[in-house]
Amino acid sequence: MTVQDWFEKRKEAQIQRRALEARVEIEANPDLWTKCVHCDAQLLKKDIEDNNMVCPVCDYHFRVNARTRIKQLFDEGSFEELFTDIKPTDPLEFVDTESYKDRLEAAQKKTGLNDAVVTGIGTIDGHKVSCAVMDFDFMGGSMGSVVGEKVTRAMEKAIELKLPVLVITSSGGARMQESALSLMQMAKTACACAKLDEAGLLYINLITDPTFGGVTASFGTLGDIIVAEQGARVGFAGRRVIEQTIRQKLPADFQTAEYLMKYGQVDVVSSRKDLKATLANILAMHE
């Protein structure tokens, strides 16, 4: 064995030992680590949190809940939550594998929210806005009567106070457990968007991953300026449904923010670290 071979063998042994030590540490402290769903890198949860919930290896943007999004985008202490008294009911007494009432209670316990949207007024670099922030953790961010009502009220509050509106979407679409009542929210929120336009007020959409179905088909894409977060998937029907319908393979980047930007369906694609500055610049230009 040559000296070079000896060093190579020693180096390989060191790499294997470190990998084993890392695996042992991960198994011993599972709450401290997570795996990136995009690149499979094992990452300390704190490192991801310190990086705005973005993978430091591949730049994959993890989903974040409404409270985290508010913390990332709004000036500290500026956000005043509104319409917290609006809560969902079960008018149809809907039951599938479990009752809608039980699903609501489980989602409320999991997220600490009444429903899939948080509404309020806050400032972004000093620019005051009325906003609605959706939360995918609450039943897939589905739009029921409460979501439609709170989004509409946020827009009506903006008209009252003459403020711009920011709506941050993350949703799988209409909530099936509310049937036609859910679908009616599409028309309701679209009418509110029209009133904003008549009042001459700025309406900004921030589309985050994922935004699909009735939300995309209504208030989620009716903004004067549509901003999409890097890597967000946006559409009406899902990729698999479309492929089965047209019997063709779709491009790998189909329904991504970057794909929509290429074809003029969104105005800006921004990484998460630049989102606050992007929104502040848009608001400053329209004051």
Side-chain angles (χ1 to χ4, degrees):
M1 178 183 293
T2 65
V3 174
Q4 185 177 355
D5 289 340
W6 184 85
F7 275 110
E8 288 295 332
K9 189 173 182 179
R10 179 180 173 83
K11 184 179 179 181
E12 185 179 345
Q14 289 175 335
I15 291 172
Q16 291 176 349
R17 186 179 71 252
R18 288 170 186 161
L20 179 61
E21 289 172 351
R23 187 162 63 249
V24 169
E25 184 179 357
I26 291 169
E27 290 173 354
N29 302 282
D31 293 338
L32 299 178
W33 298 82
T34 192
K35 181 186 285 189
C36 176
V37 298
H38 185 259
C39 70
D40 287 338
Q42 290 287 354
L43 306 164
L44 279 168
K45 290 181 179 178
K46 187 178 185 306
D47 289 344
I48 302 174
E49 291 167 0
D50 291 344
N51 198 38
N52 287 324
M53 296 304 294
V54 176
C55 176
V57 177
C58 69
D59 208 30
Y60 172 77
H61 286 45
F62 287 81
R63 289 178 192 163
V64 297
N65 60 35
R67 299 293 186 197
T68 302
R69 186 73 67 177
I70 290 167
K71 185 177 179 181
Q72 289 177 350
L73 293 179
F74 288 86
D75 300 336
E76 187 175 354
S78 72
F79 187 82
E80 177 189 356
E81 189 171 354
L82 300 175
F83 317 124
T84 56
D85 57 329
I86 305 175
K87 299 177 182 179
T89 59
D90 183 14
L92 305 179
E93 298 182 354
F94 190 94
V95 179
D96 48 89
T97 55
E98 63 179 300
S99 71
Y100 181 38
K101 181 181 178 182
D102 289 344
R103 288 186 186 278
L104 285 173
E105 289 176 356
Q108 288 166 346
K109 184 177 179 180
K110 174 185 175 183
T111 63
L113 304 177
N114 287 333
D115 212 292
V117 70
V118 176
T119 49
I121 293 174
T123 62
I124 300 175
D125 276 356
H127 304 286
K128 197 171 185 179
V129 294
S130 177
C131 67
V133 187
M134 299 192 73
D135 195 320
F136 193 81
D137 287 346
F138 194 107
M139 295 185 68
S142 52
M143 176 175 64
S145 301
V146 169
V147 169
E149 178 67 17
K150 291 182 74 171
V151 169
T152 300
R153 288 201 191 187
M155 293 179 179
E156 290 173 345
K157 177 62 73 172
I159 293 171
E160 177 189 338
L161 301 177
K162 293 182 169 52
L163 294 176
V165 175
L166 169 66
V167 173
I168 304 172
T169 57
S170 181
S171 174
R175 187 172 298 171
M176 59 168 280
Q177 290 86 353
E178 293 190 23
S179 189
L181 295 174
S182 176
L183 296 177
M184 288 165 64
Q185 307 311 310
M186 295 172 63
K188 180 178 183 176
T189 54
C191 287
C193 292
K195 289 181 180 179
L196 275 178
D197 185 58
E198 290 169 5
L201 297 171
L202 176 66
Y203 175 31
I204 303 171
N205 283 125
L206 171 53
I207 301 175
T208 71
D209 184 69
T211 297
F212 280 87
V215 170
T216 306
S218 57
F219 67 91
T221 52
L222 290 176
D224 300 302
I225 298 176
I226 301 177
V227 181
E229 188 173 63
Q230 177 183 318
R233 291 170 298 151
V234 188
F236 182 67
R239 179 191 185 96
R240 185 170 54 187
V241 172
I242 296 171
E243 286 185 336
Q244 290 173 347
T245 302
I246 66 175
R247 298 181 182 179
Q248 292 182 29
K249 192 72 176 173
L250 295 167
D253 62 346
F254 181 70
Q255 291 185 324
T256 63
E258 291 75 11
Y259 184 90
L260 269 62
M261 177 76 173
K262 181 180 176 182
Y263 290 98
Q265 293 180 284
V266 302
D267 300 300
V268 181
V269 174
S270 175
S271 63
R272 188 169 293 164
K273 65 183 176 63
D274 296 325
L275 266 180
K276 184 173 182 177
T278 298
L279 293 172
N281 288 336
I282 292 170
L283 291 166
M285 285 189 291
H286 290 82
E287 281 189 339

